[in-house]
Amino acid sequence: MGWCSGTTVRCASRHDRHRILVTGGAGFIGSHYVRTLLGPHGPAGVQVIVLDKLTYVGDPANLGPVRAHPGFSFVQGDICDTAVVNLLVAEHDQIVHFAAESHVDRSIMDAAEFVRTDVGGTQVLLDAALRHHADGRGVFVHISTDEVYGSIAHGSWPETHPVSPNSPYAASKASADVIALSYHRTHSLDVRVTRCSNNYGRQHFPEKLILLLITRLLQGRTVPLYGDGLNVREWLHIDDHVQGIELVRTKGRPGEVYNIGGGTELTNKELTALLLEACGAGWESVEYVTDRKGHDRRYSVDYAKITQELGYRPRKDFATGLAETVSWYRENRDWWEPLQQRAEPGAAQR
Ligand code: NAD
Ligand code: DAU
């Protein structure tokens, strides 16, 4: 294992079957993906290297369980750093690209880092893939989001729906998404794009709705609900998202987009009611606050394509997943309490 920064990279033998570069692997979804790949049910012989800048949200502790795994290495670095990216892509045949600025509220306050990382960083990775994987040996899985489609009042988006992003975050992800697809159409690079709905689960940085609510309610604090609380999100358990990504990496087709949904649609108010009950709090703990600017009303993906083509289906029942998540936060205060300081940038709004 190598745990290093900058350009000092120790790599294992070139003869391993899969050599996967995971960007953003110290974040919520990326770390869960890496822990799953290197866990008891992961593919044999896989070698994984994580490239992560460790921004305010990246946490090396998320990779603690795999730190000593012989198939694991870590590099602290920036996906916008062409030299580091080229070095790593040259040594790896597959890329699963999670790294991004990912919080909508922060993108509304300042979009610069979103454009730099989400758009610029993706392009650096794609160029490196083009340089080293043009012989057709590589796979580039780009983790996008359902937010690229915009907002939908009724029905669900199929992958063929045009992108129409609203927030600066969604626009940066949509740009990266279509640039990634352009490298397939123009250069025949094996790019596969996933667009998933809202994830939830353990080790989620406590700035997004479910985790913000759980952590604050467990501390006996009030929770902020934006606008009328009737915006709808489709919840996807992190295990199911990882299942979908693995299906796309191993069986997906080049140049294709795959929606990954969880199937549980709730208004924020309905979700809040469930969390109040789970945390033993009442509606007096809820503060209705000024709405998010440009707040998307509803997201809903049609995930029939990945279901029919790759055999995906969400397995985690929402009530069970939510109860497990609340329990994990209840039992792991030492993980999330130190993160709270940097988790609530919109505190002034509340
Ligand atoms: P996260 O914010 O928890 O983690 C992002 C990770 O990327 C962090 O470890 C961070 O340190 C790293 N990173 C940021 N900028 C970097 C840079 N310039 N170079 C290298 N590393 C950098 O995000 P997440 O919730 O795990 O989301 C992962 C991906 O999935 C993102 O691309 C996001 O857009 C997408 N996504 C997330 C959700 C969700 O509900 N969380 C839903 C749909 C899509
Ligand atoms: O849909 C996928 C997207 O889901 C991902 O691409 C993003 O990375 C991820 O952050 C998430 O975006 P959302 O904006 O949907 O998630 P967030 O948890 O920020 O907000 C969920 C809903 O809850 C949304 O309608 C806004 C509302 N909300 C959020 C916060 C943080 C509140 O009412 N109060 C809050 O304090």
Side-chain angles (χ1 to χ4, degrees):
M1 185 210 73
W3 190 276
C4 47
S5 61
T7 53
T8 322
V9 183
R10 219 157 16 100
C11 288
S13 152
R14 279 170 172 271
H15 305 296
D16 297 296
R17 203 150 57 92
H18 305 291
R19 300 183 52 78
I20 307 174
L21 168 61
V22 177
T23 72
F28 166 51
I29 305 172
S31 65
H32 198 80
Y33 179 71
V34 171
R35 292 194 305 269
T36 307
L37 267 186
L38 297 176
H41 306 297
V46 74
Q47 292 280 325
V48 175
I49 194 162
V50 167
L51 172 63
D52 197 297
K53 189 179 171 183
L54 298 182
T55 63
Y56 75 99
V57 71
D59 186 352
N62 288 339
L63 294 165
V66 295
R67 207 178 155 133
H69 191 290
F72 175 73
S73 315
F74 179 88
V75 173
Q76 183 174 359
D78 191 332
I79 57 166
C80 301
D81 183 335
T82 309
V84 174
V85 167
N86 264 309
L87 194 66
L88 295 177
V89 172
E91 293 288 339
H92 293 80
D93 56 331
Q94 302 197 335
I95 301 168
V96 184
H97 173 36
F98 295 91
E101 287 292 332
S102 71
H103 189 36
V104 173
D105 290 331
R106 288 180 189 261
S107 81
I108 294 168
M109 289 187 285
D110 185 357
E113 200 52 38
F114 286 75
V115 175
R116 193 188 84 87
T117 290
D118 300 8
V119 186
T122 300
Q123 180 253 315
V124 168
L125 282 159
L126 287 163
D127 277 343
L130 195 57
R131 185 167 301 121
H132 299 290
H133 298 169
D135 56 1
R137 80 188 165 103
V139 170
F140 190 116
V141 181
H142 177 72
I143 309 300
S144 187
T145 169
D146 60 1
E147 293 198 21
V148 300
Y149 295 118
S151 185
I152 186 166
H154 307 286
S156 304
W157 297 292
E159 289 83 354
T160 48
H161 196 280
V163 297
S164 181
N166 293 316
S167 73
Y169 160 72
S172 72
K173 291 295 291 185
S175 308
D177 177 322
V178 298
I179 291 169
L181 289 169
S182 81
Y183 274 62
H184 172 72
R185 291 178 191 139
T186 307
H187 302 292
S188 301
L189 198 67
D190 184 341
V191 173
R192 308 166 190 189
V193 172
T194 63
R195 295 178 183 156
C196 70
S197 58
N198 285 59
N199 284 223
Y200 74 99
R202 53 181 282 180
Q203 278 157 288
H204 199 174
F205 194 73
E207 67 181 351
K208 311 238 171 111
L209 184 66
I210 290 192
L211 301 313
L212 186 82
L213 265 55
I214 294 174
T215 53
R216 287 172 69 130
L217 290 172
L218 290 179
Q219 291 174 320
R221 297 166 67 196
T222 58
V223 295
L225 209 47
Y226 297 167
D228 60 9
L230 297 180
N231 301 69
V232 174
R233 296 293 182 267
E234 178 187 347
W235 294 99
L236 169 67
H237 191 269
I238 183 78
D239 287 348
D240 287 324
H241 188 196
V242 164
Q243 176 212 152
I245 294 168
E246 263 306 85
L247 287 168
V248 171
R249 180 181 73 84
T250 55
K251 297 183 186 165
R253 287 181 293 136
E256 292 296 321
V257 176
Y258 296 92
N259 287 340
I260 306 176
T264 301
E265 282 190 35
L266 293 171
T267 65
N268 294 336
K269 216 171 151 182
E270 289 168 331
L271 177 64
T272 301
L274 295 175
L275 291 174
L276 289 172
E277 194 185 342
C279 298
W283 279 98
E284 66 282 0
S285 302
V286 177
E287 280 184 274
Y288 282 90
V289 298
T290 312
D291 207 355
R292 174 185 277 174
K293 284 186 185 173
H295 197 170
D296 286 336
R297 195 63 169 170
R298 177 173 174 264
Y299 301 146
S300 179
V301 289
D302 176 346
Y303 53 95
K305 178 176 172 180
I306 190 171
T307 303
Q308 287 158 16
E309 197 177 309
L310 306 181
Y312 167 83
R313 71 178 167 83
R315 297 189 185 119
K316 183 71 84 175
D317 156 72
F318 185 72
T320 309
L322 198 67
E324 288 172 359
T325 303
V326 172
S327 293
W328 191 88
Y329 278 80
R330 210 186 274 285
E331 287 156 19
N332 290 278
R333 291 178 88 109
D334 56 337
W335 182 84
W336 56 265
E337 278 183 337
L339 305 177
Q340 273 184 318
Q341 278 289 90
R342 47 184 211 263
E344 299 185 28
Q349 176 190 353
R350 295 158 196 165

